[in-house]
Amino acid sequence: MSEATHHRVVIIGSGPAGWTAAIYAARAQLEPVCYVGVPKQDPSIILPGGQLMLTTEVENFPGFPEGIAGPMLMQMVQKQAERFGTKIVGEDIVRCDFSKRPFTLHTSADKTVLADAVIIATGATANWLGLENEMRLATSGGGVSACAVCDGALPVFRDQPLALVGGGDSAMEEATYLTKFASTVYIIHRRDELRASKVMQKRFLDQPNAKVVWNSIVIDVLGDTTVTGVRLRDTVTGEESTLEVRGLFVTIGHTPATGFLRDTGLEFDEKGYIVAQGDSGRTSIEGVFAAGDVADSQYRQAITAAGMGCRAALDAERWLAAQE
Ligand code: NAP
């Protein structure tokens, strides 16, 4: 193993939260090093660039009146972070020791890194059904998405029948949003009862173009380049059928990327998200900060993640100054 390198600020993650933290930390002359992760093919695990790498068109990030492709937005923010001197390392952080300072981080390339302050911005991945054609059409922009608020308003989905899998509050919220654009929105739910709160259910079910397909799971996504339908199996009778739709939204929960932090003593909530201290980017461990979806199960937007990245970097800067 090579000798450990020592940095003032190490940022783990390279989505909007990580890059924004890097911009602020670099401009504060903290010479941040950003661990962006090893490139991966599987969208169900964290990618360098985060969830926006799976988003074709981002229409709700301020400053881009015509919209911008998710990967392009991330490239631009990365450039901005690099312009102020952020160093980028294409390795995963696989283990952290926060028991003493400087903190010790271990990388996927078997290297050891020491850090005075750490900003965790590893995000959360949307859960997927795990079907081959689902992944193919999600990564190619073929009409499968895990974020209706991000993609639902795109012209390809206008006045088209759309399907959404899920039965929780997020599913209701996202499906209700889709009813504004789609001809019909089918919620496909594996049971005969929704998990969502009554008020959220009602908000969806009150829409004239809302329908629920009960006791059903999606077993395949149909279409060569774009979604033409979904193959369903009835969970009670086992019967199979085809539902013609032009888009499939998967809203079955998220998993925060906190597995590598399990034994660090950090405080997590019951779903595994990092708990922030009050209205700040501070965590339960002094000198360790968190930003973006890894600490936010509620909003999960690029712009909220970017704001949290700014906040964590400012908190880190102030904390480091107080240590001197
Ligand atoms: P959730 O409550 O865990 O719901 C996930 C849904 O996906 C469940 O209905 C579940 O079905 C279904 N599901 C899970 N795995 C599946 C699979 N493999 N195949 C098919 N269906 C599957 O997650 P969420 O809706 O993202 O909500 C997360 C938290 O945020 C909740 O506490 C929620 O109340 C909160 N939230 C609140 C609001 C709001 O109040 N405005 C909005 C959004 C979210 P089963 O029901 O059969 O298990």
Side-chain angles (χ1 to χ4, degrees), residues 132-168:
E132 202 178 318
N133 285 326
E134 171 200 31
M135 286 296 127
R136 181 175 61 76
L137 290 161
T139 46
S140 64
V144 176
S145 164
C147 181
V149 178
C150 318
D151 299 327
L154 294 177
V156 286
F157 297 127
R158 299 257 163 163
D159 301 317
Q160 300 293 332
L162 304 174
L164 183 142
V165 183

Side-chain angles (χ1 to χ4, degrees), residues 128-129 165-171 173 188-191 193-197 200 203 216-217 251-254 271 297-298 300:
W128 295 88
L129 300 170
V165 183
D169 281 333
S170 298
E173 193 167 72
I188 299 166
H189 186 45
R190 60 187 178 184
R191 296 186 291 133
E193 191 187 5
L194 295 166
R195 176 182 296 274
S197 56
M200 301 288 282
R203 209 167 285 161
S216 293
I217 53 167
T251 313
I252 58 173
H254 283 75
K271 290 182 239 147
S297 62
Q298 192 66 30
R300 297 193 301 251

Side-chain angles (χ1 to χ4, degrees), residues 257-281:
T258 50
F260 71 107
L261 298 165
R262 277 291 147 209
D263 302 323
T264 55
L266 266 182
E267 186 185 350
F268 301 99
D269 70 10
E270 70 284 356
K271 290 182 239 147
Y273 289 84
I274 297 174
V275 175
Q277 304 300 296
D279 194 16
S280 82

